[in-house]
Amino acid sequence: MNDRTSVEPINTLDYLEELLDQGYVIKGPRKDSSRDLISFKAFLKKGKEFAPEVWLSHMGYEFVEPSTFTKGHKIAYKIIDEFPDERFNSNYTLVKGNREIPLYLKVEILRAE
């Protein structure tokens, strides 16, 4: 991490523990921080990656506001090597003090060979 306000994509339990040690809290759909943390860790164990909205914006991702077309999700996308990298706004946020950072879940898109 290059500075203390920068949060990178969360894709390992080790990095999640680092953030928790820095005072961040995972907030999710259950409104119970310990149960939300357990389910968040389960996603990481399945190989999922959650990217903070500020990181996506900094990396040049475009955002599409929620609509019926996006099934109510806010979506971040970027074309990388002629292939779309899409992430949708998950039900999880990273909270520290009065700062709440939306987390985006990577969408697996199968590449046609």
Side-chain angles (χ1 to χ4, degrees):
M1 230 174 351
N2 49 10
D3 65 49
R4 50 182 212 88
T5 59
S6 168
V7 177
E8 295 177 358
I10 305 165
N11 54 18
T12 66
L13 292 171
D14 288 344
Y15 184 53
L16 175 61
E17 291 301 327
E18 265 182 55
L19 293 172
L20 296 174
D21 289 346
Q22 292 173 27
Y24 285 97
V25 175
I26 294 292
K27 184 173 157 189
R30 288 166 193 77
K31 310 291 185 239
D32 174 333
S33 57
S34 61
R35 289 178 61 211
D36 284 329
L37 184 59
I38 289 166
S39 61
F40 190 83
K41 285 181 176 180
F43 278 113
L44 293 180
K45 287 177 186 169
K46 290 178 187 170
K48 301 294 183 189
E49 177 180 274
F50 291 86
E53 187 172 74
V54 288
W55 181 86
L56 292 168
S57 181
H58 178 73
M59 297 303 285
Y61 282 74
E62 301 287 327
F63 291 88
V64 176
E65 291 302 317
S67 69
T68 52
F69 178 71
T70 65
K71 298 180 182 163
H73 289 287
K74 185 173 180 181
I75 294 178
Y77 71 94
K78 181 178 181 180
I79 304 298
I80 301 171
D81 296 330
E82 299 178 21
F83 194 71
D85 181 36
E86 284 185 33
R87 294 153 189 268
F88 67 89
N89 195 354
S90 71
N91 292 323
Y92 294 94
T93 58
L94 196 59
V95 181
K96 184 174 184 180
N98 61 359
R99 186 172 173 221
E100 189 165 349
I101 306 167
L103 296 174
Y104 286 71
L105 189 59
K106 187 174 176 83
V107 177
E108 295 303 324
I109 300 173
L110 298 176
R111 191 184 293 249
E113 296 297 329

